[in-house]
Amino acid sequence: MAILVTGGAGYIGSVTVERLRQIGEEIIVLDDLARGHRATVEADVPFYKGRIGDRQLVKRIIKDHKIDSCIHFAALAYVGESVERPAPYFENNVEQGLAFMRALLESGVRRLVFSSTCATYGEPPEMPIREQTPQWPRNPYGWSKLILERALDSYDQAYDLKFVALRYFNACGATPKLGENHDPEPHLIPNVLAVCAGRKKEISVFGNDYPTPDGTAIRDYVHVSDLADGHFLALEYLRNGGNSEFVNLGTGTGSSVLEVIEKAKRVTGREIQVRFEARRAGDPSRLVADPTKAKAMLKWKPESSDLVTILRTQWDWNNRHPSGYGAPIPF
């Protein structure tokens, strides 16, 4: 039986596909390539370009490839953009997501690993963040993911759709073949490294007046390969008869924006010019996970998620692929 991976040409999705293939899983990828890169998916992986809300397409893929499980990444995922343009986020992440879930049910697929986010917590009242921490997102992106979480819970109770919703924290880092490459690039680490490489003049730091030790926002950075392992472990949990769960994927350690910049200087040996700007709407001051549940339930270990490894792997990938996915990747 095969696994359908939606958004499998995106950053985290492609690394998860790579990891699943390494352990012998049969993978089918569905991606509309709005934000993904076709070059990230190897030529011998069955690939369909299309939207997850196309129920007939999804049902045909499931039938033709005997799909029995799904890992659902496909979503718009830029916090700032969601504040400025909320409509596409609710249309793509929620409307399309609900249509996709309907197609799964109609095709008899009852196992789903869902790519959720720590953005569902908003500005949490406690730190570190547990799965029981109240959720009240500060941006439309977080709301779109929370709505899907609530729908999944309802579908489990009504239709026995078993799921694990993985609320992961800040994805970053690279494998030798696959790295972070967005256009535009909204994330801190690739932008910091772009300054180190001379492709950008300076790094903008949005807010230096947060209630944190150095005034800049604190995040829990997780290597993308560790996130990929988390998705496989969640799928194995469901295959072994596990009940539906919500699980944080984070390290339990937070780093501020300025700490990331200082570490990048040491890793690359380059200077980094910083420009402080106003806070961005929708950005919480601090997001750090309590990973106890993931470690106990999934036996998950974030082995590559120290900042040095994260920065080094992305820096090495950037140097091997200076044009990103604009040039062919030598698989």
Side-chain angles (χ1 to χ4, degrees):
M1 304 297 284
I3 303 166
L4 174 61
V5 179
T6 69
Y11 173 42
I12 306 171
S14 65
V15 175
T16 301
V17 169
E18 179 184 60
R19 174 67 176 133
L20 291 170
R21 296 258 296 169
Q22 288 170 349
I23 57 180
E25 296 285 352
E26 183 180 351
I27 305 298
I28 315 299
V29 171
L30 171 62
D31 198 303
D32 65 6
L33 298 182
R35 297 279 166 87
H37 301 274
R38 180 63 182 88
T40 65
V41 182
E42 295 185 72
D44 61 341
V45 175
F47 177 87
Y48 292 84
K49 182 180 178 181
R51 303 198 73 188
I52 58 171
D54 185 341
R55 287 167 53 198
Q56 295 308 311
L57 172 61
V58 172
K59 291 163 75 171
R60 176 163 59 87
I61 294 170
I62 291 171
K63 180 181 178 181
D64 289 351
H65 295 279
K66 297 181 173 59
I67 303 292
D68 71 342
S69 305
C70 176
I71 302 179
H72 177 35
F73 291 101
L76 297 176
Y78 296 171
V79 168
E81 181 184 64
S82 78
V83 175
E84 297 170 358
R85 301 176 59 237
Y89 278 74
F90 289 109
E91 291 166 1
N92 186 82
N93 297 2
V94 178
E95 292 180 18
Q96 293 276 315
L98 291 173
F100 175 69
M101 288 161 55
R102 176 78 175 271
L104 294 182
L105 293 173
E106 291 174 346
S107 301
V109 176
R110 291 294 189 277
R111 286 195 292 265
L112 174 68
V113 178
F114 175 54
S115 168
S116 191
T117 172
C118 64
T120 62
Y121 294 111
E123 188 75 57
E126 62 179 7
M127 203 66 57
I129 301 168
R130 301 173 301 128
E131 286 79 5
Q132 297 78 21
T133 298
Q135 293 169 285
W136 191 261
R138 293 195 61 186
N139 52 70
Y141 166 62
W143 277 111
S144 72
K145 291 291 190 176
L146 183 56
I147 291 168
L148 258 292
E149 284 194 7
R150 295 299 93 215
L152 283 168
D153 189 53
S154 299
Y155 281 32
D156 176 26
Q157 295 180 45
Y159 310 123
D160 197 35
L161 175 61
K162 297 302 178 188
F163 69 90
V164 176
L166 297 173
R167 297 170 183 159
Y168 40 80
F169 286 62
N170 283 50
C172 44
T175 71
K177 293 181 179 178
L178 301 168
E180 187 165 10
N181 179 221
H182 299 111
D183 184 20
E185 180 56 70
H187 298 135
L188 175 65
I189 287 176
N191 281 316
V192 168
L193 294 178
V195 176
C196 296
R199 294 195 301 274
K200 292 181 60 139
K201 178 181 177 181
E202 60 190 11
I203 182 70
S204 292
V205 175
F206 297 99
N208 61 349
D209 58 349
Y210 284 103
T212 61
D214 64 19
T216 63
I218 289 175
R219 296 291 183 266
D220 189 335
Y221 294 94
V222 190
H223 198 286
V224 66
S225 63
D226 289 331
L227 290 177
D229 285 343
H231 287 79
F232 170 69
L233 292 170
L235 181 58
E236 284 294 280
Y237 164 83
L238 292 175
R239 285 171 167 170
N240 291 327
N243 290 320
S244 297
E245 293 284 355
F246 302 94
V247 181
N248 290 336
L249 289 185
T251 68
T253 301
S255 300
S256 74
V257 173
L258 291 182
E259 287 172 334
V260 170
I261 292 170
E262 287 303 313
K263 192 77 71 172
K265 290 180 182 179
R266 294 198 290 272
V267 167
T268 66
R270 307 290 177 85
E271 286 301 312
I272 301 172
Q273 186 171 333
V274 175
R275 175 177 177 163
F276 291 103
E277 299 189 32
R279 299 186 192 184
R280 293 181 300 192
D283 273 349
S285 60
R286 187 189 303 254
L287 291 171
V288 178
D290 179 346
T292 301
K293 185 174 182 178
K295 292 179 178 180
M297 190 186 93
L298 303 180
K299 305 299 186 288
W300 179 69
K301 298 178 181 179
E303 296 177 340
S304 301
S305 292
D306 61 284
L307 269 182
V308 169
T309 300
I310 287 167
L311 289 160
R312 172 57 62 192
T313 55
Q314 183 66 43
W315 179 243
D316 289 347
W317 186 88
N318 289 353
N319 290 331
R320 285 194 298 271
H321 304 279
S323 299
Y325 292 115
I329 298 175
F331 282 116

